[in-house]
Amino acid sequence: MKKIFGVFMVAVCCLAMAMPAQAQLIKWGVKGGVNMSKLDVKNVGDSDNTTGFFIGPMAEVTIPLIGLGIDGALMYSQRGDSYTTDNDGTVDAKQQGIEIPVNLKYTFGLGSILGIYVAVGPDFFFNFKDIKVNGTDVDTKKTQVGLNLGAGVKLIKHLQIGANYQIPLGDSFSASNIISGVTGKTKTWQVSLAYIF
């Protein structure tokens, strides 16, 4: 998986450098939306879906005519929540931090008013809040990496409405200091609205 991720990042960087300066179209905007997260805890059980939010500035670089581009954002993001496990334990899995998604995006134009896009790329989450199991801090991963898969629509050149699924590429935490073998991954659906200036 690390090799695939590395090859993807090299391809994205090469694409960005290969674009002629006159063909680049950089747009700035703001993006926000809702996180619907589920914590998958090994040997304990899953949480119900919980909601949080995200918001922050974004940038989009596109190649006119062919619809290929890159977008990225720097967002405050909140995901997860507290829940009770099957054996009456408690997990405080509310995470807050900075999220940086970088996506390769392809847009199918349906005229200047409407377009449909698909996107894929890495998502970096820098967590500020520790996860607790039964009131005890566990080994929360400060940096979490995931893979975004998304799609959406572009409306009247300024609005983008999208849905995105983040596949975690590692654990969000390890609670082996409390219960041997207990680890958890945060799986997140996102619904977003972006306004491009």
Side-chain angles (χ1 to χ4, degrees):
M1 187 59 86
K2 288 182 181 178
K3 287 182 181 178
I4 294 171
F5 179 72
V7 169
F8 177 77
M9 288 304 295
V10 168
V12 168
C13 292
C14 288
L15 177 66
M17 289 186 287
M19 291 181 195
Q22 65 272 19
Q24 289 185 0
L25 181 60
I26 301 175
K27 296 178 181 177
W28 302 94
V30 63
K31 183 177 185 178
V34 177
N35 285 325
M36 291 166 283
S37 302
K38 185 172 188 175
L39 191 62
D40 181 9
V41 184
K42 184 178 179 183
N43 298 330
V44 175
D46 298 344
S47 71
D48 294 329
N49 286 328
T50 59
T51 58
F53 70 93
F54 59 93
I55 189 165
M58 70 169 287
E60 185 176 70
V61 179
T62 58
I63 304 173
L65 303 178
I66 65 171
L68 193 62
I70 300 169
D71 77 359
L74 177 66
M75 305 180 296
Y76 169 79
S77 184
Q78 181 187 84
R79 56 192 185 187
D81 206 346
S82 299
Y83 78 100
T84 303
T85 65
D86 296 338
N87 56 2
D88 294 327
T90 59
V91 177
D92 180 7
K94 191 169 205 172
Q95 298 179 68
Q96 299 173 24
I98 298 296
E99 184 173 350
I100 304 173
V102 180
N103 293 309
L104 185 63
K105 183 185 281 187
Y106 183 73
T107 302
F108 306 88
L110 302 175
S112 62
I113 296 179
L114 178 67
I116 297 171
Y117 70 84
V118 292
V120 62
D123 181 84
F124 305 95
F125 183 75
F126 301 94
N127 189 37
F128 298 155
K129 187 175 180 187
D130 289 334
I131 293 174
K132 296 178 183 288
V133 175
N134 296 332
T136 303
D137 286 345
V138 297
D139 180 21
T140 306
K141 306 299 182 203
K142 298 299 181 188
T143 304
Q144 300 168 28
V145 180
L147 178 65
N148 287 324
L149 300 173
V153 294
K154 295 182 176 183
L155 303 169
I156 57 174
K157 296 184 180 180
H158 293 286
L159 291 177
Q160 295 182 11
I161 301 168
N164 189 60
Y165 184 63
Q166 294 174 349
I167 301 167
L169 299 181
D171 294 330
S172 299
F173 73 91
S174 171
S176 294
N177 60 323
I178 300 171
I179 307 168
S180 179
V182 174
T183 59
K185 294 183 178 185
T186 304
K187 299 176 180 178
T188 305
W189 279 98
Q190 293 183 325
V191 178
S192 65
L193 174 65
Y195 183 82
I196 307 299
F197 301 110

